[in-house]
Amino acid sequence: MIKDSDFIKNSEVPGPTKEEIRCILLCKSEVSNGDVVVDIGCGTGGLTVEFAKKAKKVYAIDLNPVATQTTQENVSKHQVEDKVEVILADGLETLDELDDFDVLIIGGSSGKLPQIIKKGYKKLKKNGKILVTSILLETATEAIYTFKELSLKPEVVNIMISKGTPSSRGTIMFSNNPITIVSTKKF
Ligand code: SAH
């Protein structure tokens, strides 16, 4: 796994997704080296780069030009240029232009989550996975309802990571914001 400190950051862009969360997402996605991955809301490219190391191809999409710029910088830094296409656009509209894929990660949707899930599910290959990462409860709930509307069973996992920091008295644990992953598989 790539260390959080090994990513280029930008104060205008959220991310990178923390190392342990990236690790769990990789695991849950069941990504393999023949897979095509779509990362909607790529932010700094934390997930894009991590998935590019395991997959055949990653489409990294963000509507914020600072985000696509930062993603491109991290893609170059971690030498996965040949596997990543960075797209500056809205994720919902971009889905129309893509061929079918194996994994869809949704890290940002700006009010269009149900539409992105519905359109994305149509383009998802058999055994493919959709993973929604949410900081807000409302986002997680919206994902659960949308999966149910599509007659899909959502798996919901809430992740709270605490990391140890050395102090003069011993190791103090500091916790990160909990992240909820709502995911489903296409059978
Ligand atoms: N996983 C990222 C962080 C995601 S932050 C990382 O590891 O760095 C969420 C991103 O979603 C933001 O950069 C925001 O610009 C983007 N976003 C929000 N709505 C979007 C949409 N409809 N289409 C594409 N990107 C979107």
Side-chain angles (χ1 to χ4, degrees):
M1 297 301 298
I2 304 165
K3 296 273 159 229
D4 294 340
S5 54
D6 283 341
F7 283 103
I8 296 160
K9 298 182 184 64
N10 189 300
S11 57
E12 292 173 43
V13 184
T17 303
K18 298 278 190 296
E19 182 184 346
E20 291 75 14
I21 309 287
R22 276 183 272 124
C23 185
I24 291 170
L25 283 166
L26 271 184
C27 219
K28 292 231 163 272
S29 71
E30 299 173 332
V31 67
S32 66
N33 58 14
D35 285 353
V36 176
V37 177
V38 176
D39 182 9
I40 294 184
C42 59
T44 63
L47 291 173
T48 293
V49 170
E50 203 72 76
F51 274 79
K53 288 183 174 281
K54 300 268 189 268
K56 183 169 89 177
K57 172 101 193 172
V58 181
Y59 292 97
I61 307 159
D62 207 295
L63 39 71
N64 174 2
V66 187
T68 48
Q69 162 85 40
T70 311
T71 294
Q72 194 63 64
E73 287 167 10
N74 277 311
V75 163
S76 303
K77 180 175 178 189
H78 295 278
Q79 299 173 337
V80 285
E81 297 100 320
D82 53 332
K83 288 190 177 181
V84 179
E85 186 174 332
V86 182
I87 302 167
L88 172 61
D90 184 278
L92 182 62
E93 287 157 25
T94 310
L95 279 174
D96 288 325
E97 290 148 38
L98 298 175
D99 290 336
D100 290 1
F101 41 79
D102 304 279
V103 178
L104 173 61
I105 309 160
I106 308 173
S109 49
S110 43
K112 299 175 185 164
L113 184 60
Q115 297 95 307
I116 291 175
I117 290 175
K118 285 174 190 170
K119 203 182 266 189
Y121 187 71
K122 282 193 192 147
K123 293 222 156 183
L124 195 66
K125 289 188 198 164
K126 194 169 175 275
N127 293 322
K129 286 228 166 180
I130 300 183
L131 303 114
V132 180
T133 60
S134 49
I135 296 170
L136 301 178
L137 275 180
E138 287 81 356
T139 309
T141 309
E142 206 171 24
I144 292 167
Y145 279 124
T146 309
F147 285 152
K148 283 191 176 164
E149 222 182 288
L150 293 168
S151 303
L152 301 168
K153 199 170 149 234
E155 184 193 11
V156 187
V157 179
N158 199 31
I159 307 166
M160 278 170 264
I161 301 283
S162 304
K163 295 193 86 164
T165 302
S167 78
S168 56
R169 292 191 301 119
T171 306
I172 304 184
M173 302 306 292
F174 286 102
S175 51
N176 294 329
N177 287 344
I179 304 280
T180 307
I181 301 173
V182 184
S183 62
T184 199
K185 186 171 181 165
K186 186 166 190 170
F187 289 102

